[in-house]
Amino acid sequence: MRDLIQTLPLTKSPRPYYHSAMADITRSKRVAELEKLIVTHQKLYYNAEPAISDEEFDALWAELEDLDPANILLRRIGEDKADGWPKVGHVIPMGSQAKATDPESFEAWTLKMSFERYIVQYKMDGASLEIQYRNGLLVRAVTRGDGMVGDEITPNARRMKGVPGRLPVGFSGGVRGEVLMSRIVHDEKYGDKANCRNAANGLMKRKDGLGSEDLALVCYDAMGMVGETSPFSNELEKLGWLVDMGFTTVATQVFETAKDVIEYRGKVMALRPELEYDIDGLVVKGLAIDEEDVARPRPEKQIAFKFSPEEAVTRLVAIEWSESGALYTPVGIVEPVRLAGTTVQRANLCNPDMIRSMKLRIGSMVVITKRGEIIPKIETLVENPPEAAEIGQPSVCGTCGAALVDEGTRLYCPNELCPKKELHRIEKWLTILDVRDFGSALARRLHESGRVRTIADLYSLDVEELRGIEHMGKISAQKVLRNLKAIEEVSLAEFIAGFDLENVGLLVAEKLAKGGFPTLEAILGATEPELVTIDGIAATMAATIIKGLSAVKTEMTALLETGAIRIKKPSAISESASPGNLIAGKSFCFTGELRSMKRPEAEKKIRGLGGTAKSSVVKDLDYLVTNDPGSGSDKNRKAREYGVAIIGEEELLAMLAASQP
């Protein structure tokens, strides 16, 4: 069932003071639209006529939660109306569960709970129903309704499978379960309905009761009336008692660690198509019964660990080692599987440590995900069949023959002068400077021809030879070279990062420039002990930096001697930190496309004003820039989790304009 509940407002950084009144008007208009959409689809859902998927509804809910955390609609539980049925209060409060749709969110919840054992049950995908007994006799059956009061459908419930009219003991209280239709019954008799849940929702409330005999109740909870002593003291005893009373109970397992639960979830995903009834996740709770927690609109000590349409289980059939510059990155080749609307055959494995930590083998059954903007990724191991084979990895560079270095988090060629590294360095320089129209294909052809082996060689190209190599027109060749030579001055950090040294991206290069080494000469003359004094530079990294700088020192000098490129003087850079500069000292990350410029251009503007552009969302990030704040991407999710301010492109442009010297 969809969770329509009160949620806690997210802690967010203050909005910038330049936030416009027009943005507030636009926000209010969108909130009103969301309220209308949610109410409409809520009514359709609870009357068995859903017009959109659960995932689409959840996206609307999450967007409203982000835009207006205090909205009254977020405090309401979904209504469950069917005209003509009497209204009856529940014995067991039917609040909604918190949700986790990925292992990271689930693990974050477990850290707050610290359970010694986890009770894990299938989350049945049906309609909640409470059966009320007095002295062992069935007296009422009540739908979920608003969580406290529902519709009494007792005559229909008596016709369902798994609903005893009399218990073997004189129990007075409520038993909660899920009304379900089996897949076999759906296929044989109700194929006109979209799915089993829709069919069950419609039948359970028919006034004539027809079709109720095709439904079954699977139970998972029970509670005595106020003043009554419950005949069980923990969740496992409760399930045993339900079985003794004649109820069908939900499949249940007990695990000691969160990792065990995550692995079990993968196995259940693989079994899911073979189950008699539909399930949409797992319910996880502790062993102890906490009636005070159950009474909350949103119980804290249980969670719905849901499956996602962006997840699937498949078999790992091979590993390819993708080469990018010096790096060798494992890519998993899997049996084709549908994932978030596409057929997936390749999935990222990141690095050798990931393969080892998950104990992957060729033939492993694995869970793969495709969330937001991220390419498919292998998340967890489900099982290793007996015939699964070891995964091998390359040990020498296929280009220069140097022994590869396996640092766990990366496998790479350490030779800074490797021909493959030459090409990647040229491509990196063009990317750092954001040279338009000078693409990787052109750079590769120039390198393969032997004409461009270093960055300095780029600046000796002329129009005629470019036309001859690339077979482009004169105007196109002129445009490419004009774009290349239009950038005559770069910051020290951009200059160093453009040479693509191991461990030295823009962030590290900026640390070097700001850490007491404001000129290229100072950095080239630095010693390991001196570099280690910079925050974030450890001894191993310092040694790698000095080794890399030594290897490309001649190339750096040759580039500067061409006169085509100059490094900004430290005094020019310090001007960016003038009073009123909203960018200096702040960090920015981007997700999604920008309308007014390309992302590299925006990042360059930020760095030019003394800010930092980051590639991922981290806890100390100041701003996430996006034109789609309601997106379910990992970056948006992490920004909300960390309390990072989320701003739009217009707000970024306003900050850039206000920060110009």
mmCIF file of all heavy atoms in Angstrom, residues 40 47 50 86 115 120 123 148 165 192 201 216 291 391 419 499 548 552 590 618 638 641:
data_model
loop_
_atom_site.group_PDB
_atom_site.id
_atom_site.type_symbol
_atom_site.label_atom_id
_atom_site.label_comp_id
_atom_site.label_asym_id
_atom_site.label_seq_id
_atom_site.Cartn_x
_atom_site.Cartn_y
_atom_site.Cartn_z
ATOM 1 N N THR A 40 -6.308 13.779 -5.891
ATOM 2 C CA THR A 40 -7.010 13.070 -6.971
ATOM 3 C C THR A 40 -6.545 11.629 -7.076
ATOM 4 O O THR A 40 -7.357 10.691 -7.102
ATOM 5 C CB THR A 40 -6.764 13.790 -8.313
ATOM 6 O OG1 THR A 40 -7.315 15.100 -8.245
ATOM 7 C CG2 THR A 40 -7.421 13.025 -9.463
ATOM 8 N N ASN A 47 -9.872 3.541 -4.236
ATOM 9 C CA ASN A 47 -11.106 2.984 -4.773
ATOM 10 C C ASN A 47 -10.807 2.081 -5.961
ATOM 11 O O ASN A 47 -11.651 1.882 -6.834
ATOM 12 C CB ASN A 47 -12.066 4.112 -5.168
ATOM 13 C CG ASN A 47 -12.712 4.748 -3.951
ATOM 14 O OD1 ASN A 47 -13.636 4.193 -3.359
ATOM 15 N ND2 ASN A 47 -12.207 5.911 -3.565
ATOM 16 N N PRO A 50 -6.463 3.160 -9.807
ATOM 17 C CA PRO A 50 -5.259 3.988 -9.927
ATOM 18 C C PRO A 50 -4.974 4.351 -11.377
ATOM 19 O O PRO A 50 -5.095 3.518 -12.270
ATOM 20 C CB PRO A 50 -4.160 3.094 -9.342
ATOM 21 C CG PRO A 50 -4.678 1.709 -9.485
ATOM 22 C CD PRO A 50 -6.159 1.808 -9.305
ATOM 23 N N PRO A 86 -20.457 0.783 6.789
ATOM 24 C CA PRO A 86 -20.368 1.433 8.113
ATOM 25 C C PRO A 86 -18.916 1.750 8.459
ATOM 26 O O PRO A 86 -17.996 1.055 8.036
ATOM 27 C CB PRO A 86 -20.926 0.359 9.068
ATOM 28 C CG PRO A 86 -21.664 -0.598 8.203
ATOM 29 C CD PRO A 86 -20.990 -0.578 6.868
ATOM 30 N N PHE A 115 19.248 -2.929 16.574
ATOM 31 C CA PHE A 115 18.603 -4.182 16.986
ATOM 32 C C PHE A 115 19.635 -5.309 17.043
ATOM 33 O O PHE A 115 20.538 -5.385 16.216
ATOM 34 C CB PHE A 115 17.508 -4.582 15.994
ATOM 35 C CG PHE A 115 16.326 -3.651 15.962
ATOM 36 C CD1 PHE A 115 15.698 -3.341 14.764
ATOM 37 C CD2 PHE A 115 15.820 -3.095 17.124
ATOM 38 C CE1 PHE A 115 14.607 -2.494 14.721
ATOM 39 C CE2 PHE A 115 14.731 -2.251 17.105
ATOM 40 C CZ PHE A 115 14.124 -1.950 15.899
ATOM 41 N N VAL A 120 12.388 -10.128 9.592
ATOM 42 C CA VAL A 120 12.221 -9.714 8.199
ATOM 43 C C VAL A 120 11.078 -10.508 7.572
ATOM 44 O O VAL A 120 11.095 -11.744 7.564
ATOM 45 C CB VAL A 120 13.523 -9.937 7.400
ATOM 46 C CG1 VAL A 120 13.362 -9.433 5.973
ATOM 47 C CG2 VAL A 120 14.689 -9.233 8.084
ATOM 48 N N LYS A 123 6.753 -8.035 2.302
ATOM 49 C CA LYS A 123 5.773 -6.937 2.290
ATOM 50 C C LYS A 123 4.746 -7.273 1.214
ATOM 51 O O LYS A 123 4.980 -7.058 0.021
ATOM 52 C CB LYS A 123 6.444 -5.594 2.012
ATOM 53 C CG LYS A 123 5.484 -4.420 2.141
ATOM 54 C CD LYS A 123 6.197 -3.093 1.892
ATOM 55 C CE LYS A 123 5.254 -1.925 2.149
ATOM 56 N NZ LYS A 123 4.072 -1.963 1.266
ATOM 57 N N MET A 148 -7.148 5.130 11.409
ATOM 58 C CA MET A 148 -7.800 4.981 12.714
ATOM 59 C C MET A 148 -9.219 4.436 12.572
ATOM 60 O O MET A 148 -9.700 3.700 13.426
ATOM 61 C CB MET A 148 -7.845 6.336 13.432
ATOM 62 C CG MET A 148 -6.477 6.953 13.689
ATOM 63 S SD MET A 148 -5.363 5.886 14.652
ATOM 64 C CE MET A 148 -6.228 5.861 16.223
ATOM 65 N N GLY A 165 -13.807 -17.943 11.547
ATOM 66 C CA GLY A 165 -14.943 -17.331 12.236
ATOM 67 C C GLY A 165 -14.860 -17.499 13.741
ATOM 68 O O GLY A 165 -15.426 -16.699 14.494
ATOM 69 N N ASP A 192 -8.674 -8.926 -16.884
ATOM 70 C CA ASP A 192 -9.011 -7.570 -17.328
ATOM 71 C C ASP A 192 -8.513 -6.506 -16.353
ATOM 72 O O ASP A 192 -8.485 -5.312 -16.695
ATOM 73 C CB ASP A 192 -10.524 -7.427 -17.509
ATOM 74 C CG ASP A 192 -11.294 -7.707 -16.227
ATOM 75 O OD1 ASP A 192 -10.909 -8.654 -15.503
ATOM 76 O OD2 ASP A 192 -12.278 -6.986 -15.960
ATOM 77 N N ASN A 201 -8.619 -5.199 -4.399
ATOM 78 C CA ASN A 201 -9.223 -3.987 -3.848
ATOM 79 C C ASN A 201 -10.666 -3.835 -4.289
ATOM 80 O O ASN A 201 -11.543 -3.437 -3.510
ATOM 81 C CB ASN A 201 -8.420 -2.758 -4.290
ATOM 82 C CG ASN A 201 -7.352 -2.362 -3.290
ATOM 83 O OD1 ASN A 201 -7.634 -2.164 -2.125
ATOM 84 N ND2 ASN A 201 -6.128 -2.273 -3.754
ATOM 85 N N ALA A 216 -7.686 -14.054 -0.337
ATOM 86 C CA ALA A 216 -7.112 -14.719 0.840
ATOM 87 C C ALA A 216 -6.507 -13.667 1.757
ATOM 88 O O ALA A 216 -6.016 -12.636 1.301
ATOM 89 C CB ALA A 216 -6.055 -15.730 0.418
ATOM 90 N N GLU A 291 4.084 -1.236 21.629
ATOM 91 C CA GLU A 291 2.747 -0.748 21.292
ATOM 92 C C GLU A 291 2.710 0.771 21.196
ATOM 93 O O GLU A 291 1.916 1.331 20.436
ATOM 94 C CB GLU A 291 1.724 -1.253 22.312
ATOM 95 C CG GLU A 291 1.550 -2.764 22.271
ATOM 96 C CD GLU A 291 0.419 -3.241 23.162
ATOM 97 O OE1 GLU A 291 -0.241 -2.392 23.786
ATOM 98 O OE2 GLU A 291 0.191 -4.468 23.230
ATOM 99 N N ILE A 391 37.395 -14.558 -11.136
ATOM 100 C CA ILE A 391 37.541 -13.424 -12.048
ATOM 101 C C ILE A 391 39.011 -13.034 -12.124
ATOM 102 O O ILE A 391 39.637 -12.749 -11.104
ATOM 103 C CB ILE A 391 36.714 -12.214 -11.568
ATOM 104 C CG1 ILE A 391 35.222 -12.543 -11.645
ATOM 105 C CG2 ILE A 391 37.025 -10.968 -12.392
ATOM 106 C CD1 ILE A 391 34.323 -11.466 -11.071
ATOM 107 N N PRO A 419 52.272 5.966 -23.869
ATOM 108 C CA PRO A 419 51.591 6.589 -25.016
ATOM 109 C C PRO A 419 50.082 6.749 -24.802
ATOM 110 O O PRO A 419 49.490 7.733 -25.251
ATOM 111 C CB PRO A 419 51.889 5.617 -26.161
ATOM 112 C CG PRO A 419 53.197 4.999 -25.784
ATOM 113 C CD PRO A 419 53.132 4.847 -24.285
ATOM 114 N N PHE A 499 47.272 18.480 -16.950
ATOM 115 C CA PHE A 499 48.286 17.481 -17.297
ATOM 116 C C PHE A 499 47.930 16.084 -16.783
ATOM 117 O O PHE A 499 48.695 15.144 -16.954
ATOM 118 C CB PHE A 499 49.665 17.922 -16.788
ATOM 119 C CG PHE A 499 50.344 18.891 -17.713
ATOM 120 C CD1 PHE A 499 50.000 20.232 -17.708
ATOM 121 C CD2 PHE A 499 51.289 18.461 -18.626
ATOM 122 C CE1 PHE A 499 50.603 21.130 -18.580
ATOM 123 C CE2 PHE A 499 51.901 19.347 -19.506
ATOM 124 C CZ PHE A 499 51.550 20.694 -19.490
ATOM 125 N N GLY A 548 54.837 12.472 -10.476
ATOM 126 C CA GLY A 548 54.122 12.871 -11.679
ATOM 127 C C GLY A 548 54.605 14.201 -12.226
ATOM 128 O O GLY A 548 54.809 14.359 -13.436
ATOM 129 N N VAL A 552 56.430 15.207 -16.076
ATOM 130 C CA VAL A 552 55.866 16.108 -17.098
ATOM 131 C C VAL A 552 56.454 17.521 -17.021
ATOM 132 O O VAL A 552 55.983 18.420 -17.718
ATOM 133 C CB VAL A 552 54.320 16.181 -16.977
ATOM 134 C CG1 VAL A 552 53.704 14.818 -17.191
ATOM 135 C CG2 VAL A 552 53.900 16.767 -15.634
ATOM 136 N N PHE A 590 26.747 19.965 -9.648
ATOM 137 C CA PHE A 590 25.672 20.067 -10.629
ATOM 138 C C PHE A 590 25.042 18.698 -10.877
ATOM 139 O O PHE A 590 25.719 17.668 -10.836
ATOM 140 C CB PHE A 590 26.198 20.613 -11.959
ATOM 141 C CG PHE A 590 26.677 22.034 -11.886
ATOM 142 C CD1 PHE A 590 27.952 22.336 -11.427
ATOM 143 C CD2 PHE A 590 25.847 23.073 -12.263
ATOM 144 C CE1 PHE A 590 28.400 23.643 -11.353
ATOM 145 C CE2 PHE A 590 26.279 24.389 -12.191
ATOM 146 C CZ PHE A 590 27.556 24.678 -11.732
ATOM 147 N N VAL A 618 28.709 15.809 -1.171
ATOM 148 C CA VAL A 618 29.333 15.412 0.091
ATOM 149 C C VAL A 618 28.762 16.286 1.202
ATOM 150 O O VAL A 618 28.061 17.269 0.949
ATOM 151 C CB VAL A 618 30.872 15.561 0.018
ATOM 152 C CG1 VAL A 618 31.465 14.555 -0.954
ATOM 153 C CG2 VAL A 618 31.253 16.970 -0.410
ATOM 154 N N LYS A 638 20.892 12.715 -1.811
ATOM 155 C CA LYS A 638 21.962 12.956 -0.846
ATOM 156 C C LYS A 638 21.960 14.409 -0.367
ATOM 157 O O LYS A 638 22.249 14.684 0.798
ATOM 158 C CB LYS A 638 23.311 12.599 -1.463
ATOM 159 C CG LYS A 638 23.542 11.098 -1.595
ATOM 160 C CD LYS A 638 24.931 10.806 -2.126
ATOM 161 C CE LYS A 638 25.181 9.304 -2.210
ATOM 162 N NZ LYS A 638 26.523 9.002 -2.759
ATOM 163 N N GLU A 641 19.419 14.690 2.211
ATOM 164 C CA GLU A 641 19.858 13.958 3.410
ATOM 165 C C GLU A 641 20.903 14.753 4.195
ATOM 166 O O GLU A 641 20.871 14.793 5.429
ATOM 167 C CB GLU A 641 20.451 12.609 2.989
ATOM 168 C CG GLU A 641 20.957 11.759 4.138
ATOM 169 C CD GLU A 641 21.572 10.457 3.653
ATOM 170 O OE1 GLU A 641 21.251 10.020 2.526
ATOM 171 O OE2 GLU A 641 22.381 9.876 4.385
#
